[in-house]
Amino acid sequence: MIPLSIPHLAGNEWTYVKECLDTGWVSTAGAYVSRFEEDIAAFTRSKYAISCMNGTAGLHTAMNLLGIGRGDYVLAPNLTFVATLNAISYTKADPLLIDVDPASWQLDLKLLERWLAEHTSITDTVCTLREDGRRIAAIMPVHVLGNLCDMDRLQQLSEAYHIPIIEDSTEALGSTFKGQHAGTFGVFGTSSFNGNKIITTGGGGMVFTQDEHLATRAKHLTTTAKTDPLDYFHDEVGYNYRLVNVLAAIGVAQLEQLPDLIRRKKHMDAYYREQLGGVGDISFQRITPGVDPNCWLFTFRTGRMRELLTYLNDRGIQSRPFWTPMHDLPMYERLRYVTEANNARAVHATAISIPSSSGLTDDQLAEVVGHVRAFYS
Ligand SMILES: Cc1ncc(COP(=O)(O)O)c(C=O)c1O
Protein backbone atom coordinates (compact mmCIF):
# COMPACT_ATOMS: atom_id res chain seq x y z
CA MET A 1 0.00 0.00 0.00
CA ILE A 2 1.16 3.55 -0.68
CA PRO A 3 0.16 5.44 2.49
CA LEU A 4 -1.55 8.81 2.56
CA SER A 5 0.59 10.76 5.01
CA ILE A 6 2.92 8.93 7.37
CA PRO A 7 5.80 10.27 9.47
CA HIS A 8 9.29 10.59 8.04
CA LEU A 9 11.66 9.85 10.93
CA ALA A 10 15.02 9.95 9.22
CA GLY A 11 17.13 12.30 11.34
CA ASN A 12 18.33 12.49 14.94
CA GLU A 13 15.08 11.22 16.50
CA TRP A 14 16.64 7.99 17.76
CA THR A 15 19.72 9.72 19.23
CA TYR A 16 17.72 12.38 21.07
CA VAL A 17 15.08 9.95 22.38
CA LYS A 18 17.81 7.57 23.54
CA GLU A 19 19.37 10.44 25.45
CA CYS A 20 16.05 11.03 27.22
CA LEU A 21 15.75 7.35 28.07
CA ASP A 22 19.38 7.02 29.18
CA THR A 23 19.13 10.03 31.47
CA GLY A 24 15.60 9.38 32.70
CA TRP A 25 14.36 12.78 31.47
CA VAL A 26 11.26 11.45 29.75
CA SER A 27 8.49 13.41 31.39
CA THR A 28 7.29 16.95 31.97
CA ALA A 29 10.67 18.51 32.76
CA GLY A 30 13.79 18.39 30.62
CA ALA A 31 15.91 20.43 28.25
CA TYR A 32 14.29 19.33 24.98
CA VAL A 33 11.03 21.09 25.79
CA SER A 34 12.60 24.55 25.89
CA ARG A 35 14.95 23.69 23.02
CA PHE A 36 12.01 22.69 20.82
CA GLU A 37 10.21 25.93 21.75
CA GLU A 38 13.27 28.05 21.00
CA ASP A 39 14.03 26.27 17.73
CA ILE A 40 10.50 26.57 16.41
CA ALA A 41 10.25 30.22 17.47
CA ALA A 42 13.49 30.87 15.56
CA PHE A 43 12.27 28.97 12.50
CA THR A 44 8.92 30.78 12.31
CA ARG A 45 10.37 34.11 13.52
CA SER A 46 7.75 34.11 16.27
CA LYS A 47 8.70 36.01 19.42
CA TYR A 48 7.31 33.24 21.61
CA ALA A 49 6.36 29.57 21.21
CA ILE A 50 4.84 27.52 23.99
CA SER A 51 4.62 23.75 23.60
CA CYS A 52 1.58 21.71 24.56
CA MET A 53 0.22 18.19 24.25
CA ASN A 54 -1.61 18.66 20.93
CA GLY A 55 -3.01 21.29 18.60
CA THR A 56 -6.47 21.13 20.14
CA ALA A 57 -5.03 21.95 23.57
CA GLY A 58 -3.21 24.86 21.96
CA LEU A 59 -6.43 26.23 20.48
CA HIS A 60 -8.24 25.78 23.79
CA THR A 61 -5.45 27.63 25.62
CA ALA A 62 -5.70 30.54 23.17
CA MET A 63 -9.47 30.74 23.76
CA ASN A 64 -9.01 30.71 27.53
CA LEU A 65 -6.38 33.43 27.46
CA LEU A 66 -8.64 35.73 25.44
CA GLY A 67 -11.30 35.27 28.11
CA ILE A 68 -13.73 33.66 25.68
CA GLY A 69 -16.69 32.01 27.33
CA ARG A 70 -20.44 31.55 27.59
CA GLY A 71 -22.42 34.12 25.62
CA ASP A 72 -19.61 34.84 23.14
CA TYR A 73 -19.48 34.00 19.46
CA VAL A 74 -16.30 32.87 17.72
CA LEU A 75 -16.22 33.05 13.92
CA ALA A 76 -14.81 29.95 12.20
CA PRO A 77 -14.98 28.37 8.75
CA ASN A 78 -17.51 25.64 8.08
CA LEU A 79 -14.80 23.56 6.41
CA THR A 80 -12.26 22.50 9.02
CA PHE A 81 -11.24 19.60 11.21
CA VAL A 82 -13.65 19.23 14.13
CA ALA A 83 -11.00 20.25 16.69
CA THR A 84 -11.36 23.92 15.70
CA LEU A 85 -15.00 23.95 16.74
CA ASN A 86 -14.48 21.66 19.71
CA ALA A 87 -11.92 24.07 21.15
CA ILE A 88 -14.53 26.85 20.94
CA SER A 89 -17.20 24.62 22.49
CA TYR A 90 -15.00 23.70 25.47
CA THR A 91 -15.24 27.35 26.55
CA LYS A 92 -19.07 27.32 26.22
CA ALA A 93 -18.88 30.02 23.54
CA ASP A 94 -20.87 29.44 20.33
CA PRO A 95 -19.07 28.94 17.03
CA LEU A 96 -20.56 31.04 14.24
CA LEU A 97 -19.79 29.47 10.89
CA ILE A 98 -18.63 31.28 7.78
CA ASP A 99 -18.56 29.60 4.39
CA VAL A 100 -15.32 29.07 2.48
CA ASP A 101 -14.11 30.28 -0.88
CA PRO A 102 -14.78 27.51 -3.45
CA ALA A 103 -11.34 27.85 -5.07
CA SER A 104 -8.91 28.35 -2.14
CA TRP A 105 -11.05 26.47 0.44
CA GLN A 106 -10.17 29.15 3.03
CA LEU A 107 -12.52 31.57 4.81
CA ASP A 108 -14.53 33.53 2.21
CA LEU A 109 -13.37 37.04 3.10
CA LYS A 110 -15.78 38.84 0.75
CA LEU A 111 -18.71 37.08 2.37
CA LEU A 112 -17.29 37.77 5.82
CA GLU A 113 -16.79 41.47 5.09
CA ARG A 114 -20.35 41.89 3.81
CA TRP A 115 -21.79 40.01 6.75
CA LEU A 116 -19.81 42.02 9.31
CA ALA A 117 -21.01 45.27 7.73
CA GLU A 118 -24.65 44.19 7.65
CA HIS A 119 -25.01 42.27 10.91
CA THR A 120 -22.62 43.62 13.54
CA SER A 121 -22.17 46.78 15.62
CA ILE A 122 -19.14 48.16 17.39
CA THR A 123 -19.51 49.69 20.85
CA ASP A 124 -16.52 50.60 23.03
CA THR A 125 -14.16 48.52 20.88
CA VAL A 126 -16.36 45.44 21.22
CA CYS A 127 -18.02 43.92 18.18
CA THR A 128 -21.47 42.49 18.75
CA LEU A 129 -24.08 40.71 16.69
CA ARG A 130 -26.85 43.29 16.18
CA GLU A 131 -29.60 40.73 16.54
CA ASP A 132 -28.83 39.71 20.12
CA GLY A 133 -26.07 42.04 21.32
CA ARG A 134 -23.68 39.17 22.03
CA ARG A 135 -19.93 39.70 21.65
CA ILE A 136 -17.98 38.36 18.69
CA ALA A 137 -14.89 37.46 20.66
CA ALA A 138 -12.51 36.08 18.02
CA ILE A 139 -12.11 34.94 14.46
CA MET A 140 -10.30 31.73 13.61
CA PRO A 141 -8.91 31.44 10.10
CA VAL A 142 -7.96 27.81 9.41
CA HIS A 143 -5.03 27.55 7.03
CA VAL A 144 -6.52 24.58 5.22
CA LEU A 145 -3.83 22.23 3.85
CA GLY A 146 -1.10 24.84 4.40
CA ASN A 147 -2.73 27.52 2.20
CA LEU A 148 -3.77 30.83 3.84
CA CYS A 149 -6.42 33.41 3.05
CA ASP A 150 -5.38 36.99 2.25
CA MET A 151 -4.01 37.78 5.71
CA ASP A 152 -3.65 41.52 4.94
CA ARG A 153 -7.36 41.74 4.34
CA LEU A 154 -8.23 39.60 7.35
CA GLN A 155 -6.04 41.74 9.59
CA GLN A 156 -7.74 44.90 8.28
CA LEU A 157 -11.13 43.41 9.13
CA SER A 158 -9.86 42.27 12.53
CA GLU A 159 -8.68 45.80 13.34
CA ALA A 160 -11.73 47.56 11.93
CA TYR A 161 -14.14 45.34 13.87
CA HIS A 162 -11.99 44.78 16.98
CA ILE A 163 -12.13 41.02 16.57
CA PRO A 164 -8.87 39.31 17.59
CA ILE A 165 -7.46 36.59 15.34
CA ILE A 166 -6.63 33.11 16.62
CA GLU A 167 -5.01 31.24 13.76
CA ASP A 168 -5.69 27.54 13.43
CA SER A 169 -2.34 27.15 11.71
CA THR A 170 -2.06 23.51 12.76
CA GLU A 171 -1.55 22.37 9.14
CA ALA A 172 0.58 25.27 7.99
CA LEU A 173 3.95 25.01 9.71
CA GLY A 174 6.47 26.47 7.27
CA SER A 175 3.84 28.22 5.09
CA THR A 176 4.20 31.97 4.67
CA PHE A 177 2.11 34.91 3.47
CA LYS A 178 4.24 37.72 2.02
CA GLY A 179 7.24 36.18 3.78
CA GLN A 180 5.62 36.04 7.24
CA HIS A 181 5.06 32.65 8.84
CA ALA A 182 1.62 31.18 9.41
CA GLY A 183 0.80 31.32 13.10
CA THR A 184 2.45 34.71 13.67
CA PHE A 185 -0.32 37.01 12.37
CA GLY A 186 -2.90 36.53 15.10
CA VAL A 187 -2.91 37.24 18.80
CA PHE A 188 -2.31 33.51 18.89
CA GLY A 189 -1.36 30.88 16.33
CA THR A 190 -1.10 27.13 16.78
CA SER A 191 0.75 24.10 15.43
CA SER A 192 -0.07 20.41 15.55
CA PHE A 193 2.51 17.63 15.53
CA ASN A 194 0.00 14.83 15.07
CA GLY A 195 1.33 11.81 13.16
CA ASN A 196 0.02 12.95 9.78
CA LYS A 197 1.43 16.51 9.95
CA ILE A 198 4.50 17.85 8.13
CA ILE A 199 6.57 17.19 11.26
CA THR A 200 5.40 15.02 14.11
CA THR A 201 6.08 14.24 17.75
CA GLY A 202 3.50 11.44 17.74
CA GLY A 203 1.11 13.92 19.32
CA GLY A 204 1.94 17.48 20.24
CA GLY A 205 1.24 21.13 19.66
CA MET A 206 2.60 24.66 19.89
CA VAL A 207 1.05 28.03 20.69
CA PHE A 208 2.59 31.08 19.03
CA THR A 209 2.22 34.62 20.28
CA GLN A 210 4.11 37.89 19.85
CA ASP A 211 3.06 39.19 23.27
CA GLU A 212 5.31 38.54 26.26
CA HIS A 213 2.53 38.69 28.84
CA LEU A 214 0.35 36.23 26.88
CA ALA A 215 3.33 33.91 26.40
CA THR A 216 3.93 33.82 30.16
CA ARG A 217 0.23 33.23 30.74
CA ALA A 218 0.16 30.42 28.16
CA LYS A 219 3.05 28.63 29.86
CA HIS A 220 1.41 29.10 33.24
CA LEU A 221 -2.01 27.86 32.18
CA THR A 222 -0.69 24.80 30.33
CA THR A 223 1.44 23.72 33.29
CA THR A 224 -1.22 23.55 36.05
CA ALA A 225 -0.83 27.23 37.05
CA LYS A 226 1.80 26.42 39.67
CA THR A 227 3.41 29.53 41.15
CA ASP A 228 6.12 28.10 43.37
CA PRO A 229 8.94 25.72 42.35
CA LEU A 230 8.77 23.93 45.69
CA ASP A 231 5.32 24.28 47.18
CA TYR A 232 2.21 22.98 45.48
CA PHE A 233 0.59 26.36 45.18
CA HIS A 234 -1.60 27.02 42.13
CA ASP A 235 -3.26 30.39 41.64
CA GLU A 236 -5.99 29.45 39.16
CA VAL A 237 -7.59 26.43 37.49
CA GLY A 238 -4.80 25.34 35.16
CA TYR A 239 -4.39 22.49 32.72
CA ASN A 240 -1.89 19.68 32.40
CA TYR A 241 -1.39 20.36 28.69
CA ARG A 242 2.40 19.91 28.68
CA LEU A 243 4.40 18.34 25.90
CA VAL A 244 6.72 15.82 27.55
CA ASN A 245 10.50 15.86 27.07
CA VAL A 246 10.72 12.60 25.13
CA LEU A 247 8.25 13.92 22.55
CA ALA A 248 9.94 17.32 22.41
CA ALA A 249 13.18 15.44 21.63
CA ILE A 250 11.47 13.94 18.57
CA GLY A 251 10.23 17.44 17.70
CA VAL A 252 13.74 18.92 17.79
CA ALA A 253 14.97 16.19 15.44
CA GLN A 254 11.98 16.62 13.13
CA LEU A 255 12.36 20.38 12.99
CA GLU A 256 15.97 19.97 11.86
CA GLN A 257 14.58 18.23 8.77
CA LEU A 258 11.68 20.61 8.09
CA PRO A 259 13.33 22.60 5.27
CA ASP A 260 14.07 19.33 3.43
CA LEU A 261 10.56 18.00 4.10
CA ILE A 262 9.02 21.18 2.67
CA ARG A 263 11.27 20.92 -0.41
CA ARG A 264 10.11 17.32 -0.89
CA LYS A 265 6.43 18.27 -0.47
CA LYS A 266 6.79 21.08 -2.99
CA HIS A 267 8.35 18.68 -5.46
CA MET A 268 5.40 16.32 -5.00
CA ASP A 269 2.88 19.10 -5.37
CA ALA A 270 4.49 20.36 -8.58
CA TYR A 271 4.65 16.82 -9.97
CA TYR A 272 1.00 16.04 -9.19
CA ARG A 273 -0.16 19.37 -10.64
CA GLU A 274 1.82 18.80 -13.81
CA GLN A 275 0.80 15.17 -14.26
CA LEU A 276 -2.87 15.48 -13.28
CA GLY A 277 -3.72 18.90 -14.75
CA GLY A 278 -6.27 18.40 -17.53
CA VAL A 279 -7.00 14.77 -16.53
CA GLY A 280 -10.77 14.10 -16.34
CA ASP A 281 -12.51 16.94 -14.48
CA ILE A 282 -9.74 17.34 -11.90
CA SER A 283 -9.28 20.83 -10.45
CA PHE A 284 -6.72 21.99 -7.90
CA GLN A 285 -6.80 24.16 -4.81
CA ARG A 286 -6.08 27.79 -5.73
CA ILE A 287 -3.16 29.11 -3.72
CA THR A 288 -3.86 32.64 -2.48
CA PRO A 289 -1.54 35.25 -4.06
CA GLY A 290 1.31 36.01 -1.64
CA VAL A 291 1.22 32.55 -0.05
CA ASP A 292 4.18 30.20 -0.17
CA PRO A 293 2.51 26.99 1.02
CA ASN A 294 4.12 24.00 2.76
CA CYS A 295 2.18 21.71 0.34
CA TRP A 296 1.37 19.41 3.22
CA LEU A 297 -1.27 17.07 1.74
CA PHE A 298 -2.15 16.95 -1.93
CA THR A 299 -5.89 17.25 -2.45
CA PHE A 300 -7.91 17.92 -5.58
CA ARG A 301 -11.56 18.15 -6.62
CA THR A 302 -13.45 15.86 -8.97
CA GLY A 303 -17.15 15.18 -9.54
CA ARG A 304 -16.35 11.45 -9.37
CA MET A 305 -14.73 11.66 -5.92
CA ARG A 306 -16.53 8.70 -4.28
CA GLU A 307 -15.86 6.40 -7.24
CA LEU A 308 -12.21 7.44 -7.40
CA LEU A 309 -11.80 6.98 -3.66
CA THR A 310 -12.93 3.35 -3.86
CA TYR A 311 -10.91 2.76 -7.02
CA LEU A 312 -7.66 4.02 -5.49
CA ASN A 313 -8.08 2.39 -2.07
CA ASP A 314 -8.91 -0.94 -3.76
CA ARG A 315 -5.58 -0.66 -5.58
CA GLY A 316 -3.51 0.09 -2.49
CA ILE A 317 -3.34 3.85 -3.04
CA GLN A 318 -4.49 5.18 0.32
CA SER A 319 -6.82 8.11 -0.31
CA ARG A 320 -9.24 10.05 1.88
CA PRO A 321 -12.28 12.25 1.53
CA PHE A 322 -12.14 15.73 3.02
CA TRP A 323 -13.68 16.80 6.35
CA THR A 324 -17.45 16.67 6.67
CA PRO A 325 -18.45 20.35 7.00
CA MET A 326 -19.13 21.34 10.60
CA HIS A 327 -22.74 22.30 9.84
CA ASP A 328 -23.39 18.72 8.71
CA LEU A 329 -22.30 17.23 12.05
CA PRO A 330 -25.08 16.51 14.57
CA MET A 331 -23.68 18.63 17.41
CA TYR A 332 -23.07 21.63 15.14
CA GLU A 333 -26.01 21.51 12.71
CA ARG A 334 -27.98 24.17 14.56
CA LEU A 335 -25.21 26.76 14.58
CA ARG A 336 -25.60 30.04 12.72
CA TYR A 337 -24.03 29.62 9.29
CA VAL A 338 -23.23 32.53 7.00
CA THR A 339 -23.38 31.23 3.45
CA GLU A 340 -24.78 31.87 0.01
CA ALA A 341 -24.06 28.67 -1.90
CA ASN A 342 -22.75 26.30 0.82
CA ASN A 343 -19.37 25.99 -0.87
CA ALA A 344 -18.07 23.96 2.07
CA ARG A 345 -20.49 21.16 1.22
CA ALA A 346 -19.55 21.30 -2.46
CA VAL A 347 -15.84 21.06 -1.64
CA HIS A 348 -16.48 18.16 0.70
CA ALA A 349 -18.53 16.34 -1.95
CA THR A 350 -15.70 16.55 -4.49
CA ALA A 351 -12.32 16.72 -2.67
CA ILE A 352 -9.98 13.77 -2.36
CA SER A 353 -6.52 13.61 -0.73
CA ILE A 354 -3.91 11.33 -2.30
CA PRO A 355 -0.57 9.99 -0.99
CA SER A 356 1.73 12.81 0.10
CA SER A 357 4.10 11.30 2.69
CA SER A 358 7.50 12.96 2.59
CA GLY A 359 9.19 9.58 2.23
CA LEU A 360 7.41 8.60 -1.00
CA THR A 361 9.78 7.82 -3.85
CA ASP A 362 9.42 9.23 -7.37
CA ASP A 363 8.42 5.71 -8.51
CA GLN A 364 5.61 5.65 -5.97
CA LEU A 365 4.42 9.08 -7.07
CA ALA A 366 4.39 7.85 -10.67
CA GLU A 367 2.39 4.80 -9.57
CA VAL A 368 -0.23 7.04 -7.91
CA VAL A 369 -0.47 9.18 -11.04
CA GLY A 370 -0.73 6.04 -13.21
CA HIS A 371 -3.75 4.80 -11.23
CA VAL A 372 -5.51 8.19 -11.28
CA ARG A 373 -4.98 8.52 -15.04
CA ALA A 374 -6.17 4.93 -15.60
CA PHE A 375 -9.37 5.71 -13.69
CA TYR A 376 -10.27 8.53 -16.09
CA SER A 377 -9.16 6.78 -19.28
C1 LIG B 1 -7.33 22.13 10.96
C2 LIG B 1 -6.95 21.40 12.22
N1 LIG B 1 -7.27 21.93 13.41
C3 LIG B 1 -6.92 21.33 14.56
C4 LIG B 1 -6.23 20.14 14.57
C5 LIG B 1 -5.97 19.51 15.89
O1 LIG B 1 -4.65 19.16 16.15
P1 LIG B 1 -4.34 17.92 17.11
O2 LIG B 1 -4.75 16.67 16.40
O3 LIG B 1 -2.87 18.01 17.33
O4 LIG B 1 -5.11 18.13 18.37
C6 LIG B 1 -5.86 19.54 13.35
C7 LIG B 1 -5.09 18.29 13.25
O5 LIG B 1 -5.27 17.25 13.71
C8 LIG B 1 -6.25 20.17 12.14
O6 LIG B 1 -5.96 19.64 10.95
Side-chain angles (χ1 to χ4, degrees):
M1 188 193 62
I2 301 185
L4 182 75
S5 183
I6 57 167
H8 187 67
L9 304 159
N12 287 318
E13 290 84 355
W14 188 252
T15 312
Y16 297 163
V17 168
K18 185 170 185 309
E19 188 189 321
C20 296
L21 299 180
D22 287 345
T23 58
W25 289 96
V26 294
S27 191
T28 50
Y32 278 112
V33 174
S34 37
R35 184 162 154 199
F36 189 31
E37 292 174 342
E38 283 158 20
D39 288 357
I40 206 161
F43 180 85
T44 55
R45 296 192 292 277
S46 177
K47 279 196 184 142
Y48 305 96
I50 302 93
S51 59
C52 53
M53 62 194 280
N54 53 50
T56 312
L59 292 171
H60 186 207
T61 301
M63 302 279 152
N64 280 331
L65 291 177
L66 284 183
I68 293 169
R70 197 181 293 281
D72 288 332
Y73 288 114
V74 175
L75 307 180
N78 189 22
L79 193 66
T80 183
F81 179 60
V82 70
T84 317
L85 262 71
N86 288 348
I88 302 169
S89 303
Y90 299 158
T91 70
K92 308 289 181 213
D94 288 315
L96 197 158
L97 297 170
I98 310 288
D99 203 359
V100 297
D101 176 86
S104 69
W105 316 345
Q106 314 295 306
L107 267 180
D108 183 338
L109 295 184
K110 276 193 200 129
L111 179 71
L112 173 68
E113 188 168 358
R114 259 198 323 273
W115 180 81
L116 285 170
E118 286 166 14
H119 294 274
T120 66
S121 309
I122 302 166
T123 339
D124 297 335
T125 69
V126 174
C127 181
T128 54
L129 186 66
R130 261 181 227 154
E131 194 182 317
D132 57 16
R134 285 164 59 186
R135 177 171 78 137
I136 298 174
I139 180 157
M140 296 180 75
V142 178
H143 306 320
V144 175
L145 298 168
N147 190 12
L148 284 83
C149 64
D150 178 343
M151 291 306 288
D152 282 345
R153 191 133 167 249
L154 184 64
Q155 279 187 315
Q156 283 157 10
L157 290 176
S158 158
E159 278 160 31
Y161 285 88
H162 305 281
I163 305 175
I165 296 173
I166 298 174
E167 292 174 73
D168 183 337
S169 42
T170 44
E171 301 188 345
L173 182 63
S175 297
T176 58
F177 175 77
K178 296 189 176 172
Q180 185 177 341
H181 277 267
T184 66
F185 292 86
V187 180
F188 289 105
T190 45
S191 251
S192 165
F193 311 117
N194 183 30
N196 64 356
K197 295 294 185 291
I198 194 155
I199 65 166
T200 185
T201 57
M206 197 67 72
V207 176
F208 300 104
T209 181
Q210 312 313 308
D211 181 301
E212 187 181 359
H213 172 69
L214 289 177
T216 308
R217 292 277 302 125
K219 195 52 156 179
H220 188 61
L221 204 63
T222 53
T223 55
T224 68
K226 192 164 179 285
T227 53
D228 190 284
L230 183 65
D231 281 305
Y232 288 95
F233 191 84
H234 310 258
D235 63 355
E236 61 185 305
V237 179
Y239 295 83
N240 184 4
Y241 274 178
R242 279 180 274 232
L243 184 71
V244 294
N245 199 49
V246 71
L247 297 185
I250 298 175
V252 170
Q254 285 272 282
L255 194 59
E256 290 168 353
Q257 300 159 73
L258 183 56
D260 284 341
L261 297 178
I262 293 175
R263 261 193 294 281
R264 184 72 196 146
K265 296 272 190 187
K266 282 181 180 293
H267 166 76
M268 256 180 236
D269 186 271
Y271 178 78
Y272 278 148
R273 281 180 189 255
E274 183 200 306
Q275 295 290 319
L276 298 178
V279 173
D281 65 342
I282 287 177
S283 65
F284 303 123
Q285 183 187 30
R286 176 178 172 271
I287 301 303
T288 305
V291 172
D292 185 11
N294 65 2
C295 301
W296 166 57
L297 181 68
F298 196 79
T299 303
F300 61 83
R301 290 183 67 176
T302 170
R304 297 174 65 194
M305 184 274 281
R306 283 286 156 192
E307 257 180 280
L308 179 61
L309 197 63
T310 310
Y311 181 90
L312 292 177
N313 282 313
D314 283 352
R315 284 158 184 77
I317 310 296
Q318 194 183 19
S319 306
R320 283 259 176 89
F322 217 33
W323 307 301
T324 302
M326 296 300 100
H327 207 249
D328 293 331
L329 300 178
M331 64 288 196
Y332 294 133
E333 67 189 4
R334 280 181 295 280
L335 294 180
R336 282 173 194 274
Y337 176 25
V338 179
T339 182
E340 279 163 2
N342 203 350
N343 296 326
R345 193 178 277 171
V347 174
H348 169 247
T350 52
I352 177 169
S353 304
I354 60 173
S356 309
S357 308
S358 311
L360 291 188
T361 62
D362 286 351
D363 285 349
Q364 286 176 311
L365 292 179
E367 196 182 329
V368 175
V369 164
H371 282 294
V372 176
R373 283 172 169 267
F375 172 80
Y376 288 100
S377 63

